[in-house]
Amino acid sequence: MKIFIISLILNSGNLLKLEIYEECAVWWDKNIITHEIKIKKKKENHYYHTYKGTKVFGYHCREYNSKMD
């Protein structure tokens, strides 16, 4: 089983690193909630994402390598 490190990019600019045991896109779909913005403005995203109540901007993923971590 491969181990991955997913770094969630929080809206504050901080990273939240998590060790996961499935592909990152699959984990994202299972654990990140997508919300629709009620008041939409032109040229702005109509959705935002949260993980355990914290707003998330995106993620970076890589396979775990014990020599690097």
Side-chain angles (χ1 to χ4, degrees), residues 14-28:
N14 296 327
L15 294 177
L16 175 61
K17 293 183 180 183
L18 303 169
E19 188 175 294
I20 60 174
Y21 302 95
E22 58 190 341
E23 296 287 333
C24 291
V26 173
W27 184 92
W28 177 272

Side-chain angles (χ1 to χ4, degrees), residues 25-42:
V26 173
W27 184 92
W28 177 272
D29 289 339
K30 287 182 183 179
N31 294 282
I32 301 297
I33 300 170
T34 301
H35 306 272
E36 188 170 0
I37 295 175
K38 293 180 179 159
I39 300 173
K40 298 177 177 112
K41 298 177 183 176
K42 286 185 178 182

Side-chain angles (χ1 to χ4, degrees), residues 13 15 25 30-31 35 37 40 43 45-47 55-56 61 64 66:
L15 294 177
K30 287 182 183 179
N31 294 282
H35 306 272
I37 295 175
K40 298 177 177 112
K43 298 184 181 183
N45 195 343
H46 293 182
Y47 301 93
K55 287 188 177 181
V56 178
C61 186
Y64 178 77
S66 61

